[in-house]
Amino acid sequence: MIINYDLLLIFSYTIALAAIIGIFRYKQILKSYRPFIFFTWLALLGEIVNLLCTKLLHSTAVDTNIYTLIEFGVLLWLFACWNGTYGSSKLYYYLFAIGTLVWVIDNLMIYNIHNENSIFRIFYSLVLVYLSIDQINQLLFNRERNIVYNSKFIICAGFIIYFSYKATFEIFFLVHVNWSLDFYKKIFTVFVFVNLVSNILYTLAVLCIPKKQKFILPY
């Protein structure tokens, strides 16, 4: 099955569900989850800009290359908020600094920013998969109850599904395997469905994010 363009757009914009729900839940939820809401808004904005660039410039290379670096920073911010202390948050600053260096080398030195470049995308996808697996391990170690309904678990599951396939997808383009155009269309079609599944998980996660605790002051 090769997906048509209209269906591709519909699947891509399913992130709007999470983004819209996030608008209404933003002030109610724990602050440590707010970067995830920013991520859904950023993803929706990215889809809109992507569509405009396709229509006006017939290329999405520049905006997607810039988007990946911003997305990486926002998701590192999310993991830093989840893992608390200043000392541990230094790790995420270092990861972003290394990621920025890889981005510059990939898009400005080895290749051109006007091309769809893969080195940074593979790097940041693998970093996010590792951080997601580590987060799930922490939930299991702490014996969290009803983990299937835990918003962190759902978010990380979505990240693992999406970024694992994204890394694999980009490797095919990086190594320039001499397979048919039909094969590449098929792996792109699978990627579209992977994105759809991830967007559905993100929507469920927004609904499951715990609310802030209300404190009642004693008389």
Side-chain angles (χ1 to χ4, degrees):
M1 174 184 176
I2 304 299
I3 194 166
N4 65 52
Y5 183 70
D6 291 335
L7 194 56
L8 167 63
L9 282 181
I10 292 171
F11 284 2
S12 297
Y13 279 94
T14 52
I15 190 62
L17 294 172
I20 292 169
I21 294 170
I23 293 172
F24 294 101
R25 295 212 66 209
Y26 183 79
K27 290 185 178 180
Q28 303 171 0
I29 63 174
L30 294 175
K31 288 185 178 181
S32 60
Y33 287 87
R34 287 182 177 177
F36 180 71
I37 304 299
F38 280 109
F39 161 72
T40 63
W41 295 342
L42 176 66
L44 179 58
L45 177 62
E47 293 294 347
I48 295 170
V49 173
N50 198 304
L51 180 61
L52 291 174
C53 288
T54 301
K55 298 291 185 182
L56 299 176
L57 304 176
H58 307 291
S59 172
T60 61
V62 174
D63 72 281
T64 52
N65 284 333
I66 294 172
Y67 172 84
T68 54
L69 182 61
I70 298 172
E71 180 181 72
F72 184 52
V74 170
L75 293 182
L76 286 179
W77 175 30
L78 172 64
F79 283 105
C81 288
W82 280 351
N83 292 297
T85 63
Y86 173 74
S88 63
S89 66
K90 285 183 179 180
L91 168 66
Y92 304 100
Y93 290 113
Y94 295 146
L95 285 174
F96 185 69
I98 294 169
T100 302
L101 178 61
V102 173
W103 187 92
V104 169
I105 293 171
D106 186 28
N107 291 285
L108 302 179
M109 298 175 68
I110 299 178
Y111 301 108
N112 190 300
I113 196 171
H114 295 279
N115 299 324
E116 298 277 356
N117 303 317
S118 296
I119 295 175
F120 173 74
R121 298 179 195 203
I122 294 168
F123 168 82
Y124 98 102
S125 295
L126 294 177
V127 169
L128 292 173
V129 168
Y130 171 79
L131 293 176
S132 299
I133 292 172
D134 181 65
Q135 193 68 48
I136 289 176
N137 284 338
Q138 289 183 41
L139 293 174
L140 294 173
F141 180 78
N142 292 327
R143 297 182 179 179
E144 293 285 339
R145 293 183 177 182
N146 298 322
I147 192 171
V148 175
Y149 300 102
N150 185 294
S151 50
K152 284 186 183 179
F153 175 79
I154 299 171
I155 291 168
C156 289
F159 288 166
I160 291 169
I161 292 169
Y162 179 81
F163 288 108
S164 294
Y165 193 84
K166 184 179 178 69
T168 305
F169 178 80
E170 293 293 344
I171 287 170
F172 282 116
F173 289 92
L174 180 64
V175 299
H176 300 293
V177 178
N178 191 25
W179 283 319
S180 67
L181 179 61
D182 186 57
F183 172 80
Y184 282 102
K185 287 181 178 179
K186 286 178 179 177
I187 64 171
F188 178 74
T189 298
V190 174
F191 188 40
V192 171
F193 282 98
V194 166
N195 185 52
L196 173 63
V197 171
S198 297
N199 287 345
I200 292 171
L201 288 174
Y202 300 153
T203 303
L204 293 174
V206 174
L207 292 170
C208 292
I209 293 174
K211 294 182 179 181
K212 292 184 291 185
Q213 296 293 323
K214 293 182 179 179
F215 295 99
I216 301 175
L217 295 175
Y219 289 105

